[in-house]
Amino acid sequence: MNEPGPPRFAAAGDASRTMPQAAAIAHAILEGFDRHYRLFRYVAQQAKGRYESGAWRRMQESARSRIDFYDQRVNEAVARVRADFDFDTLREAERDALWAAVKQHYVRLLAEHRQPECAETFFNSVCTKLLARDYFRNEFLFVRPGVATDYMDSDPPSYRSYYPGEGEGKTGLRATLRRIIIDFGLACPFVDVERDIRRVIRAVCEAHRSREAFARPWHAEPDCQIQVLSSLFFRNKGAYIVGRLINGTRLTPIAVPLLRDERGRIYIDTIILSTDLLATLFSFTRAYFLVDMEAPSAYVNFLHTLLPHKPASELYTMVGLQKQGKTLFFRDFLHHLRHSTDKFVIAPGIKGLVMSVFTLSSYPYVFKMIKDVIPYPKETDREQIKSKYQLVKMHDRVGRMADTWEYSQVALPRARFHPELLRELMQMCPSQLELDAGTVVLKHVYIERRMTPLNIYLQHATDAELDAAIRGYGQAIKDLAAANIFPGDMLYKNFGVTRLGRIVFYDYDEIEYMTDCSFRRIPPAPDEESEMSGEPWYRVERGDVFPENWVPFLLGDPRIRAALMKYHADLFTPEFWQARKQRILQGQLEDVFPYPPERRFGSRFGAAA
């Protein structure tokens, strides 16, 4: 005999039947989130074993697959509500009464929950798939957090405290560092842990003398302690200890990368003690970390003390909770809109063929919409471009590609759009707009960190600035190649300069995997007439790339030519690209460090130090 299904919702005023239905739906949604977070943590927990065994490809694959976990669980929860509770048969008034009650029950379920902020975002995602956009109401959604997370923590706590001073209950710095390493319980042997501890202490002393991390005078206060997050941060081939040194009123960020040598032994590669270097480690241009967190808010709050200028949206994203980051980002954006008056305008720089790009002067992001008609010579369409952006989202960005926030059905006040911008959007992207007297709805938009376009930066750069920027430009291309990414269009306008001076690629419509490209040398022309012709005299197949062809486009400015040929002349030879491609095909995963190579202990102190 079949079991009876859940009770049907009858009438909006029938409280005796409404509330059990609402409670059951709230439980079903939370069960969907809890399953998502169990899987999320399981992948992070697997990372430790994969690090210990050197299973780098599996580490990257699990990081990529985890990105889709959230949407999969949301779709499952939506299907369950529709199937088990006959949701689609309800009238609008019935849905309104029911959903308001579901939210009330859901809030009560989160009272003792360890991930309430993420569970609220999950609830919003389910709600927006079940209800039409016209019916979104604040009483249905968590527009603001319903459960505070300020003092939330896990059990055991999210971080451990160590006391390196001298005296009763204190162990001394060397023993403290040794204990920190032991407490992570890594199964691999160290190359030479005592050597690494000496290097750490030496680097700390140098940072003190140079005032890189410690202001003078410095002495240990009675409360001097090192606080370390309890879980390692895994990404690619590295594991990172993340913590802080607290000494009186002073706080110094700490990050320690642990790497493995070819024999599977661990060594400390460097120690990071500055906010700027830590910000690069947690940059929006890098892949998300795998880190096991019972209470993610506790981790984010801890990280915010180390990186006070990074919004919580970026920190949630960098620990793999990109949907929570997306929710917080949009809340911050709406807050900014309410507290500003400037208008959206066309972004400065050379207009592209694929995207219409606009910005708010008061807001450090740009908005990018795919044009309806993409003119020649581009050979692409909307779906291909979206797939390229998704590739970047899933791929290791090696610090050289900007992550983006992707949104649908974004309603903005029409009065905030400059008339010139609105005319361009109506001309270039009419299928992606809905307009009424007071609102502009963007059906699909990417939001991306605003950077200074490299071509504009170079126009005003001093000789030293240009030299550094071109060196960084070439290195950005090489880092992408190491990660199996060929940028395609390498014009300077497609690269940006970040606040910290790093060069980042941000135009993705022509990127390809290196392994899908064939890098060739241009064959000699059969005669002078062919050489002078505007058409190639050689056969060109799909995927063919001729690095020599870039010379006229990239080396026209004498200052740029001098710098690029000094540092990166090999970029214009097919042999460079062929060698990189061959290493990838052989399964090599190259090292691209999220800190300057000169900061590595092997470079600073020598192998024996």
Side-chain angles (χ1 to χ4, degrees), residues 61-359:
E61 289 166 5
S62 62
R64 284 195 293 267
S65 64
R66 187 185 64 173
I67 292 172
D68 288 333
F69 281 7
Y70 182 91
D71 288 334
Q72 292 167 5
R73 302 294 87 73
V74 167
N75 291 335
E76 289 171 3
V78 168
R80 180 179 176 186
V81 171
R82 283 183 167 145
D84 292 357
F85 302 98
D86 293 335
F87 188 82
D88 291 334
T89 66
L90 301 179
R91 296 188 299 272
E92 179 185 334
E94 294 173 334
R95 291 186 184 190
D96 287 3
L98 174 61
W99 206 258
V102 169
K103 183 183 174 185
Q104 291 175 3
H105 280 279
Y106 199 80
V107 171
R108 287 195 283 269
L109 293 175
L110 298 182
E112 301 299 325
H113 205 277
R114 293 293 173 88
Q115 308 95 34
E117 75 282 24
C118 301
E120 290 172 359
T121 292
F122 190 87
F123 181 94
N124 286 353
S125 298
V126 173
C127 179
T128 53
K129 281 186 174 289
L130 287 168
L131 302 179
R133 177 172 55 83
D134 294 341
Y135 301 112
F136 295 169
R137 313 270 175 80
N138 287 356
E139 62 267 29
F140 299 163
L141 300 171
F142 289 95
V143 178
R144 291 180 295 276
V147 178
T149 59
D150 293 355
Y151 296 99
M152 182 168 293
D153 207 344
S154 54
D155 187 17
S158 57
Y159 63 88
R160 297 186 286 263
S161 297
Y162 302 85
Y163 303 91
E166 303 296 336
E168 184 177 354
K170 299 178 180 179
T171 59
L173 181 56
R174 189 177 302 276
T176 296
L177 296 176
R178 191 181 299 111
R179 172 48 56 189
I180 290 171
I181 293 169
I182 291 170
D183 283 348
F184 282 108
L186 288 165
C188 305
F190 267 72
V191 174
D192 187 343
V193 70
E194 297 303 324
R195 178 204 64 180
D196 289 352
I197 290 172
R198 289 195 303 271
R199 287 174 163 182
V200 168
I201 294 173
R202 181 175 172 183
V204 169
C205 292
E206 288 184 358
H208 178 209
R209 285 195 297 270
S210 66
R211 303 191 187 187
E212 175 187 313
F214 306 98
R216 289 183 176 177
W218 192 92
H219 63 276
E221 300 286 351
D223 69 341
C224 182
Q225 58 189 289
I226 300 173
Q227 297 176 343
V228 176
L229 285 167
S230 299
S231 294
L232 289 167
F233 286 62
F234 295 97
R235 184 169 62 199
N236 293 332
K237 297 162 71 175
Y240 298 83
I241 299 171
V242 178
R244 59 195 177 195
L245 170 65
I246 294 177
N247 191 49
T249 59
R250 298 172 183 171
L251 184 151
T252 303
I254 299 171
V256 178
L258 306 176
L259 304 184
R260 294 172 78 253
D261 69 6
E262 66 281 356
R263 295 169 56 186
R265 300 174 302 172
I266 298 174
Y267 61 95
I268 295 176
D269 198 44
T270 189
I271 182 170
I272 294 169
L273 297 166
S274 75
T275 299
D276 281 353
L277 284 176
L278 192 68
T280 300
L281 184 67
F282 283 84
S283 169
F284 64 96
T285 62
R286 298 197 180 273
Y288 310 141
F289 283 107
L290 296 166
V291 53
D292 182 29
M293 307 166 290
E294 182 183 7
S297 61
Y299 273 68
V300 168
N301 290 338
F302 187 102
L303 292 171
H304 196 258
T305 66
L306 313 181
L307 297 165
H309 300 299
K310 273 198 180 293
S313 57
E314 284 193 31
L315 296 175
Y316 271 102
T317 299
M318 289 314 300
V319 296
L321 294 166
Q322 70 273 13
K323 293 295 184 179
Q324 182 63 20
K326 184 177 175 179
T327 293
L328 295 179
F329 177 88
F330 201 70
R331 286 176 182 169
D332 291 342
F333 170 55
L334 293 179
H335 179 82
H336 180 86
L337 277 183
R338 286 194 297 270
H339 293 82
S340 62
T341 58
D342 56 327
K343 293 182 182 294
F344 291 102
V345 295
I346 298 171
I350 300 172
K351 290 186 178 181
L353 297 176
V354 171
M355 296 281 196
S356 286
V357 185
F358 58 98
T359 189

Side-chain angles (χ1 to χ4, degrees), residues 376-393:
Y376 181 83
K378 297 288 186 181
E379 297 180 356
T380 187
D381 57 30
R382 179 180 303 280
E383 291 308 312
Q384 289 184 50
I385 294 166
K386 290 171 72 173
S387 71
K388 302 288 189 182
Y389 273 78
Q390 184 64 13
L391 183 157
V392 172
K393 172 73 68 177

Side-chain angles (χ1 to χ4, degrees), residues 51-68:
Y51 171 83
E52 291 167 340
S53 63
W56 310 130
R57 293 295 180 188
R58 293 184 67 191
M59 180 96 79
Q60 286 189 329
E61 289 166 5
S62 62
R64 284 195 293 267
S65 64
R66 187 185 64 173
I67 292 172
D68 288 333

Side-chain angles (χ1 to χ4, degrees), residues 427-467:
Q427 178 183 359
M428 298 296 180
C429 319
S431 73
Q432 298 302 300
L433 295 179
E434 288 183 15
L435 303 176
D436 61 29
T439 304
V440 176
V441 176
L442 311 179
K443 295 182 180 179
H444 183 257
V445 63
Y446 295 104
I447 305 178
E448 190 176 279
R449 178 71 64 84
R450 186 168 65 205
M451 292 172 273
T452 303
L454 180 58
N455 62 308
I456 294 177
Y457 179 88
L458 294 174
Q459 291 173 9
H460 307 288
T462 64
D463 287 346
E465 290 170 339
L466 182 143
D467 188 83

